[in-house]
Amino acid sequence: MAHAHKLEIFRGLLKFKSNTQKIWGVLIFLTLVTAVEVALGISKPEILTKTYVLGMKALNWIFIILTLVKAYYIAWDFMHLRDEKSSLRRTIVWTPIFLVSYLIFILLFEADYIFQVYKEGFIKWNF
């Protein structure tokens, strides 16, 4: 027996009358987030490219966060995670968040180490 999917997004802030309306609402949300990413990528505001947070430009952090928001929302809505048990939702959501955070940590520290070796070490910039 099939059950009806919830016709609301943003934890019930927006409610729709049909699945078609809900799909359009989700499409508009994802399009807006993507448009913000593209606009920031094209304009590259100086305040975001000159500001560093944890060793990386603020603009890069914004891209990472917006990409994770889109990935989470796609999984939450289109993969119907909202209808699953909380333990399955946590497993699916927190595992990639942990792994991506760990990858970012490794990349930042390794990149900083390589930069310091080239800057202060015996090796000169070859390019």
Side-chain angles (χ1 to χ4, degrees):
M1 175 186 236
H3 65 282
H5 297 292
K6 297 177 183 174
L7 295 176
E8 55 194 31
I9 58 175
F10 305 122
R11 300 203 183 258
L13 291 176
L14 287 175
K15 296 180 182 177
F16 300 101
K17 296 178 182 173
S18 69
N19 280 330
T20 306
Q21 285 182 344
K22 181 181 173 190
I23 290 171
W24 280 106
V26 171
L27 175 68
I28 290 169
F29 169 70
L30 293 175
T31 302
L32 288 175
V33 173
T34 304
V36 168
E37 284 181 330
V38 170
L40 286 174
I42 291 172
S43 67
K44 293 181 185 170
E46 188 173 336
I47 191 159
L48 295 177
T49 56
K50 301 288 183 187
T51 306
Y52 284 83
V53 178
L54 296 174
M56 194 165 54
K57 294 178 184 177
L59 184 63
N60 291 343
W61 282 112
I62 291 173
F63 287 147
I64 290 170
I65 291 168
L66 289 177
T67 302
L68 288 175
V69 165
K70 286 193 313 187
Y72 173 79
Y73 197 75
I74 288 169
W76 184 258
D77 224 1
F78 289 121
M79 296 174 70
H80 307 290
L81 283 182
R82 129 182 13 169
D83 301 329
E84 299 295 339
K85 292 187 177 191
S86 63
S87 58
L88 178 65
R89 286 193 311 238
R90 287 185 190 117
T91 302
I92 291 173
V93 171
W94 285 107
T95 302
I97 288 175
F98 170 74
L99 293 176
V100 167
S101 301
Y102 182 63
L103 177 65
I104 290 170
F105 172 78
I106 290 173
L107 289 174
L108 287 176
F109 276 90
E110 289 295 322
D112 187 53
Y113 171 75
I114 297 296
F115 178 76
Q116 293 302 326
V117 166
Y118 276 115
K119 182 179 176 187
E120 299 171 1
F122 295 105
I123 301 172
K124 297 197 183 253
W125 290 97
N126 294 329
F127 34 84

